Amino acid sequence: PRNHLVIPILAGLLAMSVLAGGFLVIQAHGFGVLERVGAALGARWLAGRTQLVQELEREIRAIHDHRLMLGLCLLGHFFCWLGNGVEAWLTLRWMNVHIGISAALVIDSLLYGMRSLVFFLPGAIGLQEGGYIMLGALFGISPPAALALSFIRRGRDLAIGVPALLAWQLVEGWRALRGVTQR
């Protein structure tokens, strides 16, 4: 409560909540305005592609029409975020770094917010490591421990991601091979 960062963090959370809510409202109800602005700005780029824009609009509206499924997806996303925060907390505990679970959740959520801002950077390489060091310092975690946590998280991503990519490649390779042999 006495931390000088409480007010800026709360203001940031409020601003992000308003922006996220506005994004959902525009997705659900405001495509007409966006379509007109897009048509005016990109008439040359969108020439002949209006059917694709309309199809995208229909698909997004179909997603929003299934409110129960959308809510379940939101709930699932929340529990995954919660699980990631608990995982970070447990990892730090096992590294003999004792912080509260709420601090671990805050660190994890702020880090994933940072990662979302740099979506164009593959794997957020460098950002994740620097982010953990910076955020860890705010919560009393030493830079070596924060960097170790980042490397452990990278290891988890590799342990899950590499087999998934290999399985995908095998499936696609099998489909391509079957397509070649059937001709």
Side-chain angles (χ1 to χ4, degrees):
R2 295 185 187 110
N3 192 321
H4 67 283
L5 296 175
V6 170
I7 299 297
I9 288 173
L10 287 176
L13 285 172
L14 178 64
M16 290 304 293
S17 298
V18 168
L19 288 172
F23 178 71
L24 287 174
V25 167
I26 287 173
Q27 270 191 339
H29 303 291
F31 263 106
V33 172
L34 288 180
E35 192 175 279
R36 286 190 297 276
V37 170
L41 293 176
R44 188 174 52 176
W45 295 330
L46 293 176
R49 294 185 177 95
T50 55
Q51 182 180 357
L52 293 174
V53 173
Q54 290 170 350
E55 187 177 329
L56 174 65
E57 181 181 344
R58 278 193 304 273
E59 291 297 324
I60 290 177
R61 286 190 193 276
I63 290 170
H64 284 278
D65 286 344
H66 293 85
R67 293 188 196 282
L68 176 63
M69 294 307 291
L70 195 60
L72 288 173
C73 288
L74 182 64
L75 194 62
H77 185 77
F78 172 75
F79 282 118
C80 286
W81 165 76
L82 197 61
N84 277 331
V86 170
E87 176 189 351
W89 176 72
L90 283 172
T91 303
L92 287 168
R93 277 302 237 197
W94 292 333
M95 291 170 38
N96 207 22
V97 175
H98 298 285
I99 64 168
I101 194 163
S102 60
L105 287 169
V106 169
I107 290 170
D108 203 57
S109 63
L110 289 174
L111 181 76
Y112 279 98
M114 291 166 55
R115 285 184 65 141
S116 296
L117 289 174
V118 293
F119 63 91
F120 51 86
L121 190 64
I125 301 215
L127 176 103
Q128 177 174 308
E129 291 74 18
Y132 269 121
I133 291 171
M134 180 189 72
L135 293 170
L138 294 174
F139 290 90
I141 300 171
S142 70
L147 190 58
L149 175 61
S150 176
F151 288 156
I152 289 168
R153 300 297 285 267
R154 288 260 184 233
R156 179 208 58 190
D157 293 344
L158 287 173
I160 293 170
V162 169
L165 287 173
L166 288 174
W168 177 40
Q169 184 61 39
L170 286 171
V171 168
E172 291 299 321
W174 179 253
R175 284 182 184 161
L177 185 61
R178 276 191 332 182
V180 169
T181 59
Q182 290 178 358
R183 288 183 191 176

